[in-house]
Amino acid sequence: MSGSSFLSQFASSALRTKPLGKSSDVLRSNSGQGLVRRLGPFDLVLLGIGASIGAGIFVVTGTVARDAGPGVTISFLLAGASCVLNALCYAELASRIPAVVGGAYLYSYTAFNELTAFLVFTHMMLDYHIGAASIARSLASYVINIFELIPSVKDNIPNWVGHGSDDIFGFISINLLAPILLVILTIILCRGVGESTLVNTIMTITKVIIVLVVIIVGAFEVDASNWSPFAPNGFKSMLTGATVAYFAYVGFDAVANSAEESKSPQRDLPIGIIGSLLVCVVLYIGVCLVITGMVPYNLLGEDAPLAEAFKSKGLNFVSVLISIGAIAGLTTTLLVGLYVQSRLYLGLGRDGLLPAVFAKVHPTRHTPVYSQIWVGIVAFILAGLLNVSVLSHILSVGSLAGYSVVAACVMKLRWDDSQVSKRMEGITCITVIACCGFVAGILYRYSVSSLVYIFLVLPVAIAIFAAAALQFRQVYRDLPGFSCPWVPIVPAVCIFFNIFLFAQLHYEAWVRFVVLSIVAVFVYAFYGQYNANAANDDAIYYHRVPEVVAE
């Protein structure tokens, strides 16, 4: 094949899109390969909470408070508000394209093209893999901490059992317990969605009860004078804190990946996405108020600030509850993370962008066992052999990129199909907003004097102009199901702020974004484009609420 013909085929393949279906009431023809619809709205809300709230609620709140002071409450409120806007975008797409797995990958495949979808999957999956391994090692460490409460056991457990051995060559660190925990959770997930949902429900309810107990008990120890001054380091410290707090909410998108197992996806997915996020916002703000009211912000500890705050008040039993809550939180976060990864691999396997083995569903368990086992193996190796904390600097790129693309998908799918000439103009405006967000983020990050804030006005003004062009130059359709309000303003704000946060990440994250994108393009060019089947008749999507499929 000549170079010109290869490039021509590559361009043609890369621009393919996923059809939404041939009619509004077509059901999946190969029902034997489908998943079972068991999840109701309550299950989906717990799924989102389980994915979002881990041990971080007991640590990140105090970490941010050390810089923002009592203003940490505003930091988490701002971050929560931003995530709610992203959740509204997810909720609309989950309601409109609800029938199968895929999440951000599926939405970008439908709204934009095949290559964009593959890039979104690649970046989000790397975040998921590294994140799962990191959480598994943290969970193992917390479990060992519980065992070390027994006097005869304390100081007699080698580090390589649960805390991780000393680094070899700077990145190899043996951990025995983390892979064992991953094997247990993978088996639970392979057995069926009923079993995994039960575990998630028990652990999430336990976690939420413990957080509520912490808030209620702590409320009686609050000294209101500790809330003054409210913002000792100014508004910038609160805004910087919001960029850190934002990632504490990441996880609500897991609900969108459970579409094929939802009983009534068009109704329940928006409830699960938005409901779980609102619960998380309330819990985080409650913990922030308690921790800054109990102890002066400048006296908060670094590693376990909340636990230390209760110990300073003589409430040692609450510290034990916090450890149990951390274990429950990490367990649900890890469980849901492994669940989401397997569903994404299932979606790409069905579409041919990955080998067909990932598309196989167990005939009686109705779970993607091969995808689930593969996800478990990757996490097993990373958690058991590597000190993944050294990779923490390159995390969150996938989430921010995925959220930005989802916001863009909302606008793209709302555009009137008859306005073909304005599509490129709209995509250009979206790109301009993203670029302005990055420039504003860079200026904010490296500002050394107040004069720099004057230059911030320029990218913000250009972004506002681009958003106005999207508002008045494009024609938007009203669609059935849940609708994100104030389109295109809400999606435009999401894109700007997400990319603003992208600019706050470590420079290694930017390098990772570029390098992984290049690798993903090569993989797609030499494998994906030849095997993809965007119009697969076995993957037709519902446009209406489907009937519950009996097992």
Side-chain angles (χ1 to χ4, degrees):
M1 181 183 293
S2 65
S4 59
S5 60
F6 173 81
L7 292 176
S8 176
Q9 180 177 346
F10 176 80
S12 176
S13 300
L15 295 176
R16 288 184 299 218
T17 59
K18 186 81 172 175
L20 281 173
K22 299 175 182 177
S23 67
S24 63
D25 57 353
V26 180
L27 296 181
R28 180 176 296 280
S29 60
N30 60 336
S31 58
Q33 290 296 313
L35 305 178
V36 177
R37 296 189 179 277
R38 288 187 174 181
L39 304 179
F42 183 69
D43 298 316
L44 294 172
V45 169
L46 290 181
L47 185 72
I49 296 173
S52 299
I53 294 186
I57 193 170
F58 305 118
V59 179
V60 176
T61 47
T63 302
V64 177
R66 285 172 58 83
D67 295 322
V72 64
T73 306
I74 303 300
S75 297
F76 273 87
L77 188 61
L78 290 173
S82 176
C83 284
V84 167
L85 297 181
N86 281 287
L88 291 172
C89 296
Y90 260 95
E92 172 169 324
L93 296 177
S95 174
R96 187 180 181 198
I97 316 173
V100 293
V101 295
Y105 155 77
L106 173 62
Y107 307 149
S108 54
Y109 204 163
T110 303
F112 290 101
N113 54 62
E114 196 168 274
L115 180 58
T116 300
F118 190 71
L119 287 169
V120 168
F121 163 80
T122 304
H123 283 290
M124 295 191 78
M125 192 50 63
L126 183 61
D127 274 9
Y128 281 131
H129 281 315
I130 297 175
S134 178
I135 293 169
R137 290 178 73 98
S138 296
L139 178 58
S141 183
Y142 269 100
V143 171
I144 294 300
N145 286 340
I146 291 293
F147 280 109
E148 288 179 340
L149 293 176
I150 304 172
S152 60
V153 175
K154 187 177 182 181
D155 298 327
N156 291 323
I157 301 177
N159 283 337
W160 55 265
V161 173
H163 293 302
S165 67
D166 294 336
D167 289 356
I168 304 172
F169 305 120
F171 63 93
I172 296 177
S173 175
I174 307 299
N175 190 309
L176 180 63
L177 183 56
I180 294 174
L181 296 172
L182 283 164
V183 169
I184 294 172
L185 293 180
T186 299
I187 291 173
I188 292 173
L189 288 164
C190 287
R191 285 188 59 82
V193 68
E195 289 80 353
S196 58
T197 300
L198 178 62
V199 172
N200 182 66
T201 299
I202 294 173
M203 288 291 190
T204 301
I205 291 176
T206 300
K207 171 175 60 179
V208 171
I209 290 174
I210 289 176
V211 173
L212 290 175
V213 169
V214 167
I215 293 173
I216 294 171
V217 173
F220 290 97
E221 300 294 333
V222 166
D223 181 356
S225 64
N226 289 329
W227 288 334
S228 180
F230 189 75
N233 296 316
F235 179 76
K236 183 177 180 179
S237 65
M238 292 191 294
L239 186 58
T240 302
T243 65
V244 177
Y246 180 90
F247 301 108
Y249 292 106
V250 170
F252 61 86
D253 54 306
V255 179
N257 287 282
S258 64
E260 197 168 331
E261 289 156 300
S262 172
K263 293 178 180 178
S264 183
Q266 286 182 315
R267 182 198 67 188
D268 294 345
L269 289 179
I271 294 174
I273 293 170
I274 298 174
S276 62
L277 184 55
L278 291 178
V279 171
C280 293
V281 171
V282 171
L283 293 178
Y284 271 117
I285 291 177
V287 171
C288 288
L289 289 172
V290 165
I291 193 173
T292 54
M294 288 179 64
V295 179
Y297 77 94
N298 56 336
L299 298 180
L300 289 171
E302 294 185 10
D303 296 328
L306 193 61
E308 292 177 15
F310 279 96
K311 285 181 180 179
S312 69
K313 300 293 183 178
L315 300 170
N316 293 328
F317 76 96
V318 179
S319 298
V320 177
L321 280 180
I322 289 173
S323 296
I324 296 172
I327 290 176
L330 288 168
T331 300
T332 58
T333 305
L334 182 56
L335 184 75
V336 175
L338 295 172
Y339 166 89
V340 170
Q341 291 176 59
S342 68
R343 271 54 182 178
L344 282 172
Y345 274 107
L346 172 64
L348 269 82
R350 286 173 172 171
D351 293 334
L353 291 169
L354 290 177
V357 67
F358 290 111
K360 293 184 178 181
V361 176
H362 194 279
T364 57
R365 297 291 180 185
H366 300 287
T367 56
V369 288
Y370 294 101
S371 295
Q372 197 69 72
I373 292 172
W374 165 253
V375 167
I377 290 173
V378 174
F380 184 99
I381 295 172
L382 291 177
L385 299 178
L386 301 179
N387 180 9
V388 289
S389 63
V390 300
L391 301 177
S392 60
H393 287 157
I394 67 171
L395 286 177
S396 302
V397 175
S399 297
L400 291 173
Y403 289 0
S404 300
V405 172
V406 166
C409 288
V410 170
M411 292 185 279
K412 176 69 165 53
L413 291 174
R414 287 273 201 105
W415 291 342
D416 191 338
D417 291 334
S418 63
Q419 303 290 318
V420 178
S421 60
K422 292 186 177 181
R423 287 183 189 172
M424 188 54 65
E425 178 184 326
I427 293 174
T428 301
C429 289
I430 292 172
T431 305
V432 168
I433 292 172
C435 292
C436 289
F438 187 78
V439 172
I442 292 295
L443 290 174
Y444 175 81
R445 177 176 180 174
Y446 294 106
S447 60
V448 292
S449 69
S450 57
L451 293 176
V452 175
Y453 296 116
I454 298 176
F455 294 99
L456 272 172
V457 175
L458 182 60
V460 171
I462 295 174
I464 292 174
F465 179 80
L470 287 171
Q471 174 70 54
F472 298 108
R473 295 279 298 168
Q474 300 292 328
V475 178
Y476 295 90
R477 298 173 294 174
D478 292 327
L479 300 171
F482 179 87
S483 295
C484 175
W486 305 310
V487 173
I489 303 304
V490 167
V493 171
C494 289
I495 293 171
F496 183 90
F497 190 66
N498 290 338
I499 303 303
F500 178 90
L501 290 178
F502 184 96
Q504 309 306 309
L505 299 177
H506 196 277
Y507 78 92
E508 291 176 359
W510 306 345
V511 175
R512 164 241 154 128
F513 181 81
V514 174
V515 172
L516 187 59
S517 296
I518 294 172
V519 172
V521 169
F522 271 96
V523 172
Y524 175 80
F526 292 102
Y527 179 85
Q529 68 165 322
Y530 299 111
N531 295 277
N533 185 11
N536 188 352
D537 290 335
D538 291 339
I540 298 173
Y541 307 111
Y542 304 95
H543 290 212
R544 69 174 188 181
V545 178
E547 299 289 335
V548 177
V549 179
E551 184 175 356

